[in-house]
Amino acid sequence: MRRLELVGWIAVAVVLSALAIPWFLWGDATVVTGLPVWLWWHIGWMGLASVVFYLFTRRAWGIGIETGSEGDSSAGDSNDGDGRSGQGRNGQAGRNGQGERNEPSRSAAGGDRP
């Protein structure tokens, strides 16, 4: 199933890339509301591309680059079950060995000096 999803997203990327350049509008001087039609094409394409990328980030982020089976934590990252890695902004693991959350370290520049 995951392989079929990967092939589907690749097909969507190829079609979206093919639609990026409106070859069929080259040489067309039609103007709609003050802008050439080819510019309206690009505006619509950017809207479509942003919606597709949003859906991709929500449904399939990381597809095709994972190694091993789903749920395998052999890479060392903890996964809280919400699809996000257990690492914080500073690269520290999100949970310590006892299952408790680690508090992120604060830098001196953060205004929290001892």
Side-chain angles (χ1 to χ4, degrees), residues 8 15 50 57 66 81:
V15 168
S50 63
T57 60
E66 297 103 8

Side-chain angles (χ1 to χ4, degrees), residues 22-106:
W23 302 104
F24 55 91
L25 290 176
W26 280 25
D28 189 358
T30 307
V31 175
V32 177
T33 63
L35 295 175
V37 173
W38 62 266
L39 190 57
W40 286 114
W41 175 270
H42 283 293
I43 292 169
W45 181 85
M46 287 189 303
L48 177 65
S50 63
V51 168
V52 167
F53 190 67
Y54 173 79
L55 292 173
F56 175 76
T57 60
R58 293 293 171 197
R59 300 180 50 101
W61 189 256
I63 191 170
I65 60 172
E66 297 103 8
T67 58
S69 64
E70 212 170 297
D72 182 20
S73 61
S74 62
D77 287 344
S78 65
N79 190 342
D80 296 336
D82 61 355
R84 293 182 292 168
S85 169
Q87 291 195 352
R89 289 191 317 228
N90 59 3
Q92 295 178 343
R95 295 189 183 271
N96 65 17
Q98 289 77 33
E100 300 170 7
R101 288 208 175 270
N102 292 334
E103 294 296 321
S105 62
R106 296 186 180 179

